[in-house]
Amino acid sequence: MNQKEFFSENGFALIDNIYSEEEINSILHEIENADSQNDTFRKSSDLFAIRQILKEIPEISPIIFNENLKNLIREFIGNDFFIVKSIYFDKPETSNWYVAYHQDLTISVDKKVELENFNFWTKKQNQFAVQPPIEILKNIVTIRIHLDETNEENGALKVIPKSHSKKIYRTKTTDWSAEKEVSCNVLRGGIMFMKPLLLHSSSRTTNNQKRRVIHIELSNFDLPNEINWSEKQIIN
């Protein structure tokens, strides 16, 4: 089974050596020198996050979408996908931030409109989110770019393989004894492809090591005319 087939069947794939040390350092340099006063920046003792990072720090886009990544996107999902969401997460060395098993069930849009099968509207930092029909969620592919080595000790994602194929999961009624858990350990400069409907969680940090990740979502799905993807960008 090749990586593309593994991704389709299991809902995730891990690929190392996508970025050089120089590229990682360049990305981190741009992040560290960005203006953190904007509403899209959030900082606490447990988490530093930047929403819409590709809009806030456009200088990192050509580094992120290097030939290695663009070739993988073409191989795994095709030529017509575009960016619909981007977030930077920095889980500090002393973080006690734990995230229970969940699916990513919302998309970011430009406004709130009453539409059939678009539910559970929220608004955070001037950005609307909504749970769309499942066909849209199935179409999305997430890329997690690892700016640090990530393992079980500093909050690597844990996933339930193949859970993306079971539609909306109800974790409270899940028979966890029948599920297989996998820790997604990724080297610095590697990436993870993931389907948002894949059940995933993140543990607390125990080894005093950072876990910095850029989370990017791609889609080629056209939304209803009444709304737009709030972060839609073409991959150059």
Side-chain angles (χ1 to χ4, degrees), residues 14 39 69 73-74 102 104 107-108 122-123 126 128 142 160 164 215 221:
L14 311 177
D39 291 340
L69 184 61
I73 291 170
R74 285 191 288 266
H102 66 286
D104 293 337
I107 61 172
S108 298
T122 60
K123 185 180 182 182
N126 296 316
F128 291 98
T142 297
I160 305 297
H164 69 298
H215 170 118
F221 201 100

Side-chain angles (χ1 to χ4, degrees), residues 19-33 60 63 147-148 188 212:
Y19 299 97
S20 67
E21 191 67 18
E22 181 181 359
E23 287 172 322
I24 293 296
N25 288 334
S26 295
I27 292 169
L28 291 172
H29 174 78
E30 296 294 345
I31 291 171
E32 289 163 3
N33 287 278
I60 67 173
I63 309 172
L147 306 178
D148 298 294
R188 176 179 166 102
R212 292 169 290 187

Side-chain angles (χ1 to χ4, degrees), residues 20-154:
S20 67
E21 191 67 18
E22 181 181 359
E23 287 172 322
I24 293 296
N25 288 334
S26 295
I27 292 169
L28 291 172
H29 174 78
E30 296 294 345
I31 291 171
E32 289 163 3
N33 287 278
D35 180 2
S36 61
Q37 301 305 309
N38 293 345
D39 291 340
T40 51
F41 286 68
R42 171 189 165 195
K43 194 162 189 177
S44 70
S45 59
D46 281 337
L47 175 68
F48 173 40
I50 307 172
R51 292 182 180 274
Q52 304 183 39
I53 185 172
L54 295 181
K55 286 188 174 181
E56 292 291 346
I57 313 176
E59 294 82 1
I60 67 173
S61 287
I63 309 172
I64 287 175
F65 289 96
N66 64 11
E67 287 305 311
N68 288 338
L69 184 61
K70 289 193 288 189
N71 287 336
L72 281 173
I73 291 170
R74 285 191 288 266
E75 175 189 348
F76 274 68
I77 60 177
N79 295 310
D80 58 345
F81 276 67
F82 44 81
I83 302 157
V84 296
K85 182 184 287 188
S86 61
I87 310 173
Y88 168 72
F89 293 109
D90 177 355
K91 199 171 187 178
E93 300 92 326
T94 57
S95 174
N96 286 317
W97 180 44
Y98 168 78
V99 180
Y101 269 106
H102 66 286
Q103 298 168 298
D104 293 337
L105 298 177
T106 64
I107 61 172
S108 298
V109 296
D110 61 342
K111 56 182 171 294
K112 182 178 180 180
V113 180
E114 294 302 320
L115 292 170
E116 185 177 1
N117 297 321
F118 283 75
N119 302 302
F120 310 114
W121 288 87
T122 60
K123 185 180 182 182
K124 292 181 180 179
Q125 296 165 318
N126 296 316
Q127 181 167 277
F128 291 98
V130 63
Q131 183 173 320
I134 196 168
E135 290 75 20
I136 296 177
L137 295 173
K138 286 181 176 180
N139 174 261
I140 294 171
V141 172
T142 297
I143 303 172
R144 292 172 56 87
I145 297 161
H146 287 251
L147 306 178
D148 298 294
E149 180 175 354
T150 308
N151 54 44
E152 297 96 331
E153 296 180 344
N154 68 332

Side-chain angles (χ1 to χ4, degrees), residues 219-233:
S219 177
N220 66 353
F221 201 100
D222 291 326
L223 296 177
N225 291 334
E226 294 87 347
I227 58 173
N228 300 294
W229 298 101
S230 66
E231 297 180 55
K232 183 175 179 179
Q233 295 183 59

